[in-house]
């Protein structure tokens, strides 16, 4: 089992920045990929950014050039630096980890961007 706890969400004006953190605990050795999804009201959950193994990170087109995902294996943590935030980035952001065959989710953290 893997437990994921997000932090760092909040309210920010358009153009501002936030940094989300996700701390993993438990059987972290089983994780082969970790990243972030988001879900806005009335919309499906969507991929934001993901790191798998030693591969290059994958980003949603809507956040490329603005968001950066990073991973600290020593701390069992993953981060999402979000710059140039837009109102359409408003959503609950979820940390996600894959440890085949299992998929783990955090409880989510709210990000609200005001115009």
């Amino acid at each position: 089992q893997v437990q994921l706890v997000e932090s760092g969400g909040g309210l920010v004006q358009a153009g501002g920045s936030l940094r989300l953190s996700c701390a993993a605990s438990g059987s972290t050795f089983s994780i082969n990929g970790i990243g972030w999804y988001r879900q806005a009201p009335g919309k499906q959950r969507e991929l934001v950014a993901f790191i798998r193994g030693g591969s290059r990170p994958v980003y949603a087109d809507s956040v490329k050039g603005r968001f950066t995902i990073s991973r600290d294996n020593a701390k069992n943590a993953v981060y999402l630096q979000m710059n140039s935030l837009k109102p359409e980035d408003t959503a609950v952001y979820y940390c996600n980890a894959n440890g085949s065959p299992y998929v783990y989710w955090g409880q989510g953290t709210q990000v609200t961007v005001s115009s």
Side-chain angles (χ1 to χ4, degrees):
Q1 286 287 337
V2 173
Q3 294 77 44
L4 304 172
V5 178
E6 304 99 333
S7 60
L11 173 64
V12 64
Q13 289 187 334
S17 298
L18 282 174
R19 186 183 190 229
L20 303 184
S21 300
C22 173
S25 61
S27 302
T28 56
F29 60 86
S30 67
I31 296 174
N32 52 47
I34 192 166
W36 296 91
Y37 284 70
R38 68 185 181 187
Q39 188 167 19
K43 294 187 177 181
Q44 289 188 332
R45 193 171 296 189
E46 62 176 1
L47 173 71
V48 177
F50 204 84
I51 298 177
R52 184 179 301 280
S55 302
R56 294 180 64 181
V58 174
Y59 294 94
D61 288 343
S62 59
V63 307
K64 284 181 180 176
R66 300 188 297 123
F67 291 11
T68 303
I69 188 171
S70 59
R71 182 175 182 179
D72 187 334
N73 290 326
K75 295 183 178 180
N76 291 318
V78 65
Y79 307 99
L80 186 67
Q81 179 66 43
M82 306 185 294
N83 299 329
S84 302
L85 282 161
K86 304 175 181 180
E88 50 264 43
D89 294 318
T90 295
V92 178
Y93 284 69
Y94 296 91
C95 185
N96 168 278
N98 288 341
S100 182
Y102 304 106
V103 177
Y104 304 97
W105 293 95
Q107 82 286 354
T109 186
Q110 177 71 46
V111 172
T112 303
V113 184
S114 63
S115 57

